[in-house]
Amino acid sequence: MNLEGIDRTNAICGAFFILAGLIFGYQSLEVDLGTWLRIGPGGLPLVLSGLLVLMGAIILFQATRIAGEPVGRIAWRGVLFILVAPLVFGFTVRGLGFVGAVFVAALIASFASYRMSWWMAILLSAALALFSMAVFSYGLGLPFERFGPWLR
Amino acid sequence: MDLFSNLALGFATASTLYNIVFCLIGVLLGTLIGVLPGIGATATIAMLLPITFQIGDPVSSLIMLAGIYYGAQYGGSTTAILINMPGESSSAVTAIDGYQMARQGRAGVALATAAIGSFFAGTIATVLIALFAPPLTAIALEFGSAEYCSLMVVGLVMSVALAHGSVIKAIAMVILGLLLGLVGQDVISGAPRLNFGLNQLGDQLNFVAIAVGLFGIAEILRNLEDERGREVLMAKVTGLMPTREDFRRMAAPILRGTALGSALGILPGNGAVLAAFASYTIEKRLSDRPEEFGKGALAGVAGPESANNAGAQTSFIPMLTLGIPANPVMALMIGAMIIQGIVPGPNVAAERPDLFWGLIASMWIGNLLLIVLNLPLIGLWVKLLKVPYYVLFPTIMAFCSIGVYSVNANVWDLYVVAFFGLLGYLLLKLRCEPAPLLLGFVLGSLLEENLRRAMILSRGDPLTFVTRPISAGLLLLAVAVLVVVLLPSVRRKRDEVFVDED
């Protein structure tokens, strides 16, 4: 097998599905599989995991035979900042409260773009926090603490 | 006749001031987000889904959700025509001739044609739903667990057949979706399973979090790959009113598009997309001036837009009668119903006639609101196209976080969003379409429950699926579809149909 003839995208794809199948398969073995009459909680997941591994294997096999397009550009900066935003919202919503968490999450997400400047990001995040407080907290009456214990 | 009393009930429900207001809000919000470039109907609905839960009444919240759907579709056509950027695959066809019309200074006529075609198609499709839903519901009520299982298999196979790209990948995505749908507490034994030991995830993975991650966030990431400025056609949109000659030329395409869309929309899998493409091909063949297509032919906007909208509406039929989602949007609707405490399926019509018929009637009202509101508001939507993307996505991220958190006030749901955002982006990069995964996720626990019940009813005999005639017929259909899409000749044809889509 020479590495040049391999379609990278599909090789990764096949490997991913095989891995996912193995993880789910392993986990379904931990619970009762059951019998034909009374299928247990692990029965269907195990069968599906097996099928997933099979599909992954077919994709992997095809990858060695047909060359495809490359994966293309990856938005690394976007991945870093955008995905961190909901995480930070989750970490801070109890401590900072609802308004603070919106501000921090929006601020972090702002830096996913190269075109955003500092002051613009702060301005936008503050505007969003105020807007959310007015609409969601006062308007719709979401039952979240506006300012949490960290700010007191 | 029953039809009229049913429709009367529906209109009585949908036309209360309260519900009209929610329909209006839904349509406006849907258009607002749908107009934002690069965000399609599914992503829009996924992002706005949590907001609808703030309304206590399930009828109003589903009416609003449906409103968001038409609004987003309409918004998607607007961006397709004005900046050649279809918000979703079904309006990709509209972009071909619509954008050319806009460049020739006929943007207003193109937008009006799209709106008129959509409204006409929507009206006919609403009547069709009212006609066909009750008999289908009656059939579905006879279904046992075995039939339901087989029906879901057909639905999943169809979603594989109509996904673009590799068939094997689509199958893998369906399976992955089914597995994700089974994560959490087992319905029958109550045992926790497949949750990596994380009991914080709750009884089930949060549907809203997955939808927002897979569709909303993954799409933002894809848009961030390429940040160069978009060419926005800022010619003033004038001359909305089509001429008499325009009307004459759009009539037949609209009629044909409506018929085609209504028929294909019922199919599980994304029939509306297929309908738009098929309509374009047909109009091009039937036209006495085929050379105009691709250079701003009115029929190339009228036909596909009508087909698309008719298909989008009739895709409600399997969702309302069988509880089987025909496309990711319907999967979202089913998710919303479940969260509102309504069990989707044939019983909805009998148990909640107000919801069932109210939703159907609201479709027509929603379409009417769209045509009345959006043509005058077009100037506003054009302005929205100018909003730079780097202002949009922090806003979207903030609202997504609030929305997901507001469903259960569970911090873990936000971690699920981030995880599925990453997974969704990874799968996009690996050229796997997320739609089959979402369908699998929605049907996962339903399929398992019915499978287990069917096995108990048949005393552990798996042959029950092939000895019961309806179930056997459905499975045969699934196998036939699978064989057909895997045949090399059909595969080539299918690639051709989807070739313009990306």
Side-chain angles (χ1 to χ4, degrees):
Chain A
M1 234 192 277
N2 67 332
L3 269 167
E4 277 177 17
I6 291 185
D7 178 354
R8 288 267 190 79
T9 315
N10 281 349
I12 299 170
C13 185
F16 167 77
F17 283 126
I18 292 175
L19 183 71
L22 289 177
I23 293 172
F24 277 115
Y26 172 74
Q27 289 201 66
S28 47
L29 285 174
E30 289 178 340
V31 282
D32 183 24
L33 293 180
T35 60
W36 272 117
L37 174 60
R38 287 190 188 280
I39 301 173
L44 186 62
L46 187 67
V47 175
L48 289 173
S49 306
L51 282 173
L52 192 57
V53 172
L54 178 70
M55 292 303 142
I58 296 176
I59 296 168
L60 199 60
F61 175 69
Q62 282 177 342
T64 61
R65 303 188 47 188
I66 312 158
E69 307 152 50
V71 181
R73 270 172 81 166
I74 294 177
W76 288 113
R77 191 180 165 117
V79 169
L80 188 67
F81 287 99
I82 289 288
L83 293 180
V84 168
L87 292 180
V88 168
F89 185 91
F91 291 140
T92 57
V93 70
R94 297 259 162 85
L96 286 176
F98 172 71
V99 179
V102 170
F103 179 78
V104 179
L107 192 64
I108 291 171
S110 298
F111 291 104
S113 167
Y114 294 99
R115 300 180 162 205
M116 196 67 146
S117 62
W118 263 104
W119 64 270
M120 185 67 189
I122 292 173
L123 206 69
L124 177 67
S125 309
L128 282 172
L130 281 177
F131 177 82
S132 317
M133 183 166 74
V135 172
F136 294 102
S137 202
Y138 288 103
L140 289 170
L142 290 195
F144 305 135
E145 215 175 5
R146 281 175 209 120
F147 296 97
W150 296 354
L151 294 175
R152 262 179 238 142
Chain B
M1 213 174 130
D2 253 7
L3 175 67
F4 291 108
S5 62
N6 285 333
L7 276 179
L9 170 69
F11 276 101
T13 312
S15 61
T16 60
L17 186 64
Y18 192 67
N19 284 337
I20 286 191
V21 167
F22 281 114
C23 188
L24 181 68
I25 298 174
V27 167
L28 280 177
L29 273 179
T31 317
L32 184 79
I33 311 276
V35 160
L36 302 177
I39 300 167
T42 316
T44 308
I45 295 170
M47 289 180 215
L48 294 176
L49 193 58
I51 296 177
T52 63
F53 298 145
Q54 303 308 326
I55 313 164
D57 181 29
V59 182
S60 311
S61 100
L62 283 173
I63 284 179
M64 179 168 159
L65 205 55
I68 293 173
Y69 181 34
Y70 326 126
Q73 282 224 320
Y74 182 86
S77 320
T78 309
T79 48
I81 291 170
L82 291 180
I83 57 171
N84 198 17
M85 195 186 235
E88 56 171 328
S89 37
S90 56
S91 48
V93 198
T94 312
I96 307 173
D97 278 289
Y99 182 61
Q100 291 305 323
M101 283 180 74
R103 289 187 58 177
Q104 292 159 16
R106 287 171 40 90
V109 177
L111 287 167
T113 306
I116 294 166
S118 295
F119 177 69
F120 178 79
T123 309
I124 300 290
T126 305
V127 175
L128 286 176
I129 296 175
L131 274 175
F132 285 108
L136 261 175
T137 312
I139 297 173
L141 280 171
E142 305 291 309
F143 277 21
S145 291
E147 282 77 20
Y148 255 105
C149 268
S150 308
L151 184 67
M152 281 184 249
V153 172
V154 173
L156 293 172
V157 166
M158 284 295 210
S159 80
V160 167
L162 294 177
H164 29 119
S166 152
V167 176
I168 300 288
K169 279 185 188 172
I171 297 175
M173 289 293 272
V174 163
I175 298 171
L176 187 61
L178 287 170
L179 278 167
L180 288 168
L182 298 176
V183 169
Q185 209 165 32
D186 170 37
V187 199
I188 297 177
S189 69
R193 58 174 169 171
L194 310 179
N195 61 3
F196 306 90
L198 299 171
N199 288 324
Q200 294 94 327
L201 291 175
D203 299 348
Q204 257 213 328
L205 284 174
N206 185 332
F207 172 76
V208 178
I210 289 187
V212 168
L214 275 183
F215 288 93
I217 296 193
E219 216 158 299
I220 291 179
L221 290 175
R222 190 171 56 180
N223 284 328
L224 280 172
E225 277 169 19
D226 191 6
E227 272 202 76
R228 75 199 148 78
R230 293 178 302 269
E231 183 210 345
V232 179
L233 190 78
M234 274 307 132
K236 239 179 130 43
V237 180
T238 48
L240 276 175
M241 206 54 199
T243 60
R244 181 172 292 211
E245 167 70 8
D246 289 333
F247 273 118
R248 203 182 53 74
R249 285 173 54 194
M250 75 171 82
I254 287 178
L255 281 173
R256 283 190 289 262
T258 304
L260 199 63
S262 306
L264 290 175
I266 305 174
L267 295 179
N270 210 345
V273 179
L274 196 68
F277 278 90
S279 163
Y280 190 79
T281 317
I282 289 178
E283 291 313 324
K284 196 170 172 179
R285 272 229 184 112
L286 291 179
S287 173
D288 45 353
R289 277 175 282 181
E291 70 281 357
E292 269 189 12
F293 279 76
K295 293 181 191 121
L298 191 69
V301 175
E305 270 299 302
S306 315
N308 173 9
N309 206 45
Q313 297 250 31
T314 52
S315 65
F316 273 88
I317 293 180
M319 193 279 275
L320 282 171
T321 56
L322 309 170
I324 304 283
N327 56 39
V329 173
M330 290 305 126
L332 289 164
M333 293 287 280
I334 285 189
M337 277 186 160
I338 293 171
I339 292 174
Q340 297 276 6
I342 297 160
V343 183
N347 287 322
V348 175
E351 283 163 15
R352 298 293 306 267
D354 57 326
L355 181 134
F356 186 86
W357 293 103
L359 190 60
I360 291 174
S362 86
M363 294 174 190
W364 189 78
I365 295 179
N367 275 297
L368 184 69
L369 287 175
L370 268 180
I371 198 167
V372 172
L373 277 174
N374 280 322
L375 291 181
L377 282 179
I378 193 72
L380 178 69
W381 305 138
V382 171
K383 278 214 184 66
L384 266 177
L385 293 175
K386 286 183 181 162
V387 176
Y389 197 65
Y390 60 82
V391 173
L392 283 180
F393 63 82
T395 314
I396 296 172
M397 287 310 300
F399 292 156
C400 280
S401 303
I402 299 170
V404 170
Y405 186 62
S406 71
V407 179
N408 287 330
N410 182 354
V411 177
W412 277 83
D413 287 345
L414 290 156
Y415 310 150
V416 174
V417 168
F419 178 78
F420 277 91
L422 182 65
L423 183 72
Y425 185 58
L426 174 79
L427 289 168
L428 266 178
K429 296 271 40 161
L430 296 176
R431 294 197 291 276
C432 295
E433 231 196 322
L437 190 151
L438 193 71
L439 291 191
F441 177 77
V442 172
L443 292 180
S445 55
L446 217 58
L447 181 70
E448 189 195 32
E449 216 183 304
N450 280 296
L451 175 72
R452 284 157 89 173
R453 203 180 300 142
M455 290 307 284
I456 291 172
L457 288 175
S458 71
R459 305 210 170 91
D461 181 11
L463 286 177
T464 180
F465 294 103
V466 285
T467 48
R468 294 175 69 115
I470 299 178
S471 164
L474 288 167
L475 284 180
L476 215 61
L477 179 67
V479 172
V481 170
L482 213 52
V483 168
V484 166
V485 288
L486 285 168
L487 284 178
S489 61
V490 180
R491 235 155 106 182
R492 239 173 288 127
K493 193 85 192 164
R494 175 170 162 275
D495 289 344
E496 268 170 42
V497 172
F498 285 114
V499 81
D500 285 333
E501 234 176 280
D502 296 309

